[in-house]
Amino acid sequence: MKAKFHSPFRLDDTTGGSIFNKALFRWVKARGFEIHYAQSPTPKRIEWISSITHFLDGPFCRYPIKPKGKTIALMHLPAFADPSASQQDSANERGVLHDVSLIVVTHDRVKGEMEDCYSLPADKIITIEPGLAKSKHKNQYSPIPSRLVYVSNFNPIKNHEGLMRLLSNISDLNWNIDCYGAGELKPHIEELCTSLGLEKKVNLLPPVPHKKLMTLLPTYDLALNFSLSETYGMYIQECIGAGLPLLTSKVGWIQDRNYSGAIDPSFFQEQLVDTLTQTIKYQSLIRDTLALSKMVKTWNFTPLEPWF
């Protein structure tokens, strides 16, 4: 049996999409399917998707699979959720998704938005939440946080620029931050840090493999995420799974959890200052993180069983 795949992610990538890919690859292979993997597709390389006429490349990251002659589209970032997408992009994507047999999303909120925005029937969309094993390494919590971390590729949606500008407003406090990732905006962020006088407080570092990251995160005091949008929210899950307190924009997986570290971006600076200066506030966030970490699960693809 063969299941043909397209992914815009490299398998050695550290993004949530790549981690999703690897987990799904293992699940599909375990069911006796041979994977055909194509990166940077062209129409000739995806001609097997016979029912899709407008397959989009670029920021709209779908993974079409075709077992039993059915086409399954696994959504990464819907066009309507991407600030760089045009109305025509959304219209084209609507046409694509009406042609497929099943759509898989990673968050119930995205499922609801797709039903509304694209007029898709609810039974055509299923949710498979991101999954993650917990870190085996214990976090040695500081009395008050000073070592911060942000793990994400440097692109507009991850909003490093917004975070650096916010951090420049509180540069007098005791903190430094390591930012792990790659991307075309990284040189720009480096220049921005210099212009904001943050070059001694911000370290821009290369990406870290997923397994190493789960041993690295517990060495920090506090994680930050200032992303404008999240589909997988793998970094959020990684922090929670590592027991690392997190201040994050209220996006993606974390939105539907009662977590005090998920905040509206307009209150981010206020919350960050409180966490960096108030021991009680920080200890409360630690307790909230450990409670939420009990909800972190491994990947569960069983809703796809009937399609394979």
Side-chain angles (χ1 to χ4, degrees), residues 22-220:
K22 292 174 184 176
L24 184 58
F25 275 24
R26 288 192 296 269
W27 187 89
V28 171
K29 285 183 176 180
R31 277 141 192 85
F33 283 84
E34 178 185 345
I35 298 295
H36 288 252
Y37 174 75
Q39 185 185 341
S40 303
T42 64
K44 289 183 179 179
R45 293 176 68 180
I46 58 169
E47 60 189 5
W48 43 269
I49 313 176
S50 57
S51 65
I52 292 184
T53 57
H54 315 297
F55 185 78
L56 304 177
D57 193 16
F60 316 110
C61 305
R62 278 172 298 290
Y63 312 77
I65 315 172
K66 202 174 179 185
K68 298 180 181 177
K70 304 291 185 180
T71 301
I72 302 176
L74 293 105
M75 296 296 297
H76 173 52
L77 182 63
F80 60 76
D82 189 321
S84 66
S86 67
Q87 289 186 344
Q88 186 59 51
D89 290 329
S90 295
N92 289 347
E93 185 164 78
R94 178 197 292 262
V96 170
L97 296 177
H98 275 274
D99 283 344
V100 303
S101 308
L102 178 71
I103 302 162
V104 178
V105 298
T106 54
H107 192 260
D108 280 336
R109 194 175 295 257
V110 175
K111 180 179 187 293
E113 290 172 344
M114 290 181 66
E115 291 172 17
D116 294 340
C117 294
Y118 289 161
S119 302
L120 293 163
D123 60 0
K124 192 173 184 175
I125 310 172
I126 63 172
T127 301
I128 296 179
E129 287 194 348
L132 185 71
K134 294 182 183 178
S135 173
K136 298 177 182 179
H137 300 267
K138 298 295 183 181
N139 196 314
Q140 302 297 318
Y141 300 108
S142 303
I144 200 77
S146 61
R147 292 197 67 220
L148 315 182
V149 64
Y150 185 20
V151 182
S152 175
N153 281 342
F154 290 78
N155 62 56
I157 289 177
K158 298 305 181 181
N159 200 21
H160 287 81
E161 179 168 344
L163 180 60
M164 294 307 124
R165 293 190 183 282
L166 183 152
L167 289 172
S168 70
N169 295 330
I170 58 171
S171 60
D172 56 320
L173 297 180
N174 179 31
W175 60 266
N176 61 72
I177 185 169
D178 291 341
C179 298
Y180 294 91
E184 59 184 19
L185 289 183
K186 196 168 186 177
H188 166 69
I189 298 302
E190 188 171 12
E191 291 176 3
L192 178 65
C193 289
T194 301
S195 68
L196 294 173
L198 296 177
E199 63 271 22
K200 292 184 179 180
K201 298 182 79 73
V202 177
N203 301 310
L204 303 184
L205 303 168
V208 179
H210 178 65
K211 288 184 179 179
K212 183 178 179 181
L213 183 63
M214 294 307 292
T215 66
L216 188 65
L217 287 176
T219 67
Y220 288 92

